[in-house]
């Protein structure tokens, strides 16, 4: 689409001069910089969709593993004595629980919200309670399932379970079953998940994932999808075959983008 000079200047300001500066320095053109910026976002979006599929598969595999191992449905919020959550996980669980309760609360009609008052205030609502405090007290009375909390937890939580802090309480006891290949260590899984997590964070903040970072992220995605629930690295695993077309498309978009970068560098 062709833009007028005035429109290009407006877009330049909207996307921020600072953000576009490296691209303007490379291309010597605000218009070309904007085009490259949008192309970079498209590459990122294609990678983000793949990571979303991987994250869903990973968290469900971990949840099934731990629920079967501990033998209790509420292991996440009421872990057995053999599992002591570290502070980062406790904080994440607290936020996820609150977020899940907020989501359920927002679905209630006013009559349902008012009904929670009887539970929150069995002796009658105290005078002077603000609407905000009432909402908080009402949400505390809502019970949510493990599944609702799981849906609110981020990749940060799941990749942390493969950290050294949980080597003895989770990995050696049961999480190894999520990556049953005997040649794979906890540390190897942690490294690959960290690459994926870091790239996911960049993409979530609309930052580019390019060149070596992009290649390494794709390799990490392949590692996880080819080894998750597989006794040996399986290049035909159902999960890998599911994301393979999207991964090929992301790589194709990336190659096209990097070719454009290289042509500008050679000018």
């Amino acid at each position: 689409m062709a833009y007028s000079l005035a429109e290009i200047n407006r877009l330049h300001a909207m996307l921020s001069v600072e953000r576009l500066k490296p691209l303007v320095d490379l291309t010597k053109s605000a218009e070309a910089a904007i085009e490259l910026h949008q192309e970079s976002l498209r590459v990122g979006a294609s990678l983000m969709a793949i990571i979303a599929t991987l994250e869903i598969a990973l968290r469900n595999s971990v949840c099934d593993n731990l629920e079967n191992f501990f033998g209790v449905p509420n292991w996440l919020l009421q872990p057995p004595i053999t599992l002591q959550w570290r502070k980062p996980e406790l904080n994440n669980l607290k936020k996820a629980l609150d977020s899940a309760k907020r989501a359920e609360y927002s679905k209630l009609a006013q009559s349902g919200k008012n009904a929670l008052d009887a539970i929150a205030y069995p002796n009658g609502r105290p005078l002077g309670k603000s609407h905000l405090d009432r909402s908080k007290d009402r949400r505390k009375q809502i019970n949510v399932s493990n599944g609702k909390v799981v849906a609110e937890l981020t990749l940060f939580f799941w990749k942390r379970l493969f950290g050294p802090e949980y080597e003895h309480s989770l990995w050696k006891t049961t999480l190894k079953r999520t990556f049953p290949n005997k040649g794979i260590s906890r540390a190897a899984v942690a490294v690959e998940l960290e690459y994926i997590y870091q790239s996911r964070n960049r993409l979530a903040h609309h930052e580019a994932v390019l060149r070596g970072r992009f290649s390494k992220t794709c390799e990490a995605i392949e590692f996880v999808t080819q080894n998750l629930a597989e006794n040996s690295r399986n290049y035909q695993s159902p999960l890998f075959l599911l994301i393979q077309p999207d991964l090929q498309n992301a790589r194709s978009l990336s190659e096209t983008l990097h070719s454009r970068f290289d042509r500008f560098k050679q000018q």
Side-chain angles (χ1 to χ4, degrees):
M1 180 175 179
Y3 292 101
S4 68
L5 180 59
E7 289 171 332
I8 291 170
N9 289 336
R10 287 184 65 190
L11 288 171
H12 193 190
M14 287 178 176
L15 296 175
S16 100
V17 173
E18 182 179 2
R19 182 180 178 85
L20 291 176
K21 185 178 185 306
L23 296 176
V24 172
D25 289 344
L26 173 67
T27 63
K28 314 304 181 192
S29 162
E31 183 174 12
I34 291 169
E35 290 175 356
L36 284 178
H37 175 269
Q38 294 306 104
E39 199 169 341
S40 296
L41 289 180
R42 285 191 287 273
V43 171
S46 67
L47 196 57
M48 195 65 156
I50 298 166
I51 293 174
T53 301
L54 180 151
E55 182 176 347
I56 292 168
L58 176 70
R59 79 185 186 196
N60 288 337
S61 295
V62 170
C63 285
D64 289 346
N65 180 317
L66 296 184
E67 184 171 334
N68 290 333
F69 177 69
F70 292 126
V72 292
N74 205 26
W75 61 269
L76 192 62
L77 298 174
Q78 296 177 349
I81 194 170
T82 55
L83 174 60
Q84 299 293 317
W85 291 128
R86 302 287 176 146
K87 188 174 181 180
E89 285 64 70
L90 285 173
N91 289 339
N92 271 263
L93 284 166
K94 182 179 178 181
K95 291 177 182 177
L97 179 60
D98 183 62
S99 183
K101 288 190 174 190
R102 284 175 181 272
E104 292 302 302
Y105 184 74
S106 68
K107 298 174 186 177
L108 295 176
Q110 190 58 48
S111 59
K113 295 177 180 179
N114 292 337
L116 291 172
D117 282 343
I119 307 173
Y121 313 115
N123 299 317
R125 191 179 74 207
L127 295 175
K129 272 280 182 180
S130 69
H131 176 72
L132 179 60
D133 286 339
R134 281 182 68 193
S135 296
K136 289 180 179 178
D137 291 340
R138 287 168 170 174
R139 289 199 303 271
K140 289 177 183 178
Q141 315 312 315
I142 297 175
N143 292 318
V144 292
S145 66
N146 252 23
K148 297 287 186 182
V149 178
V150 164
E152 298 293 338
L153 289 167
T154 67
L155 184 57
F156 174 82
F157 180 87
W158 304 112
K159 67 101 176 177
R160 281 273 305 171
L161 301 192
F162 293 89
E165 300 90 342
Y166 296 103
E167 172 100 34
H168 297 287
S169 61
L170 291 181
W171 175 259
K172 288 186 175 180
T173 56
T174 187
L175 267 192
K176 173 61 179 168
R177 298 173 192 171
T178 59
F179 290 92
N181 185 342
K182 293 181 179 179
I184 291 177
S185 66
R186 177 205 56 74
V189 174
V191 166
E192 302 301 337
L193 288 178
E194 185 65 26
Y195 271 111
I196 296 168
Y197 168 72
Q198 293 294 338
S199 290
R200 184 202 175 283
N201 267 13
R202 288 184 64 87
L203 295 171
H205 290 90
H206 316 304
E207 297 297 329
V209 172
L210 304 172
R211 300 199 182 275
R213 188 188 298 272
F214 177 89
S215 297
K216 183 56 190 173
T217 302
C218 290
E219 291 169 7
I221 289 169
E222 289 177 335
F223 174 92
V224 174
T225 56
Q226 291 168 1
N227 282 296
L228 185 63
E230 299 289 341
N231 290 321
S232 60
R233 187 158 188 171
N234 185 358
Y235 297 88
Q236 298 296 312
S237 77
L239 181 58
F240 176 65
L241 292 179
L242 177 65
I243 61 100
Q244 188 177 26
D246 295 322
L247 195 57
Q248 289 175 339
N249 179 61
R251 281 180 161 139
S252 177
L253 291 174
S254 177
E255 288 174 6
T256 300
L257 174 62
H258 288 130
S259 293
R260 292 196 65 193
F261 276 122
D262 292 339
R263 286 197 296 272
F264 278 114
K265 285 184 177 180
Q266 293 167 4
Q267 291 176 1

